[in-house]
Amino acid sequence: MRIGLLGTGNVARALAHGWRAAGHDVLLGSRHPEERTGLGLPVAGLDATAAHAEVLVNATPGGVSVDLLRSIGAPALAGTLLIDVGVGLSDDFTALTHPNSSLGELIQEAFPLAPVVKTLCTMDSTTMTTPGELTEPGTVFLSGDDAEAKRTTGRLLTDLGWPKSSQLDIGGITTARGQEHFAFLFMGIAGGVGSHTFNIKVVTRPSADSP
């Protein structure tokens, strides 16, 4: 697939490398592509990246994501699957920029013709693309209102090393709040284990009728 990734930071680059290794055509989008050479990945302007993409990934700082997408324009995004991996945090990482909502919801509200799927925001960039290097399988969550968009996202997650057994669909785009608000627990766990490269795993009883 043609995958455009908005952003050129650690997350965007890790995902681009992961999907390119799986055979996808990737392109990073930047406001200043002429300043982002030497990344080992193709870079273009935001409009060109959106026009290139069958799937567009928001990997920009959550506090500016909606405005950045608006600069591209709703007509350019209509009909394009938009995978959102961003989290809006204050500069000192002590507050959410969307404390009573989620970035995923705000993007879906602003661009109703672009199905939004929230995923991969509960882990660092290393875990996103090499989940098999952890001591055991973890869980990656999907939130979104469009079933086909989630199926496509699930296939792209599989290409990054996430088997179907590790993917958990938790419901509509409103459930993106839980994923994003996990950021504070993530930081606490990172302090406790001394690393940002970890994941969580949902465990259940063997069956619903277990005592």
Side-chain angles (χ1 to χ4, degrees):
M1 299 189 76
R2 298 188 309 278
I3 303 176
L5 299 102
L6 302 178
T8 57
N10 291 337
V11 169
R13 296 199 307 272
L15 291 173
H17 280 298
W19 278 318
R20 185 167 70 171
H24 297 288
D25 176 2
V26 301
L27 180 64
L28 296 179
S30 171
R31 286 172 170 163
H32 306 288
E34 69 283 356
E35 299 175 4
R36 303 301 289 160
T37 58
L39 298 180
L41 292 161
V43 184
L46 300 178
D47 291 347
T49 301
H52 168 86
E54 296 173 272
V55 176
L56 197 61
V57 180
N58 174 49
T60 63
V64 303
S65 295
V66 174
D67 286 342
L68 183 144
L69 289 165
R70 284 192 174 121
S71 75
I72 298 171
L77 300 178
T80 300
L81 165 56
L82 208 165
I83 298 174
D84 175 35
V85 302
V87 176
L89 288 167
S90 60
D91 291 340
D92 61 1
F93 300 103
T94 62
L96 291 163
T97 56
H98 313 106
N100 299 312
S101 184
S102 68
L103 175 60
E105 289 175 88
L106 295 179
I107 293 174
Q108 187 63 91
E109 181 181 355
F111 304 96
L113 299 183
V116 177
V117 178
K118 188 82 186 189
T119 192
L120 289 171
C121 71
T122 55
M123 62 197 73
D124 77 341
S125 59
T126 302
T127 305
M128 289 179 187
T129 55
T130 54
E133 293 184 2
L134 300 180
T135 55
E136 62 180 274
T139 303
V140 61
F141 305 97
L142 297 94
S143 302
D145 296 332
D146 187 290
E148 182 56 35
K150 283 195 277 193
R151 282 191 288 271
T152 300
T153 302
R155 291 192 292 270
L156 291 174
L157 291 173
T158 300
D159 289 341
L160 294 176
W162 294 95
K164 288 293 294 181
S165 58
S166 291
Q167 300 177 26
L168 183 59
D169 182 345
I170 59 173
I173 195 62
T174 58
T175 65
R177 297 183 192 189
Q179 293 198 55
E180 295 182 27
H181 291 203
F182 176 76
F184 294 117
L185 182 55
F186 176 89
M187 289 186 279
I189 295 171
V193 302
S195 172
H196 288 86
T197 303
F198 64 89
N199 195 24
I200 59 171
K201 181 178 182 179
V202 174
V203 295
T204 62
R205 287 182 172 182
S207 64
D209 57 355
S210 296

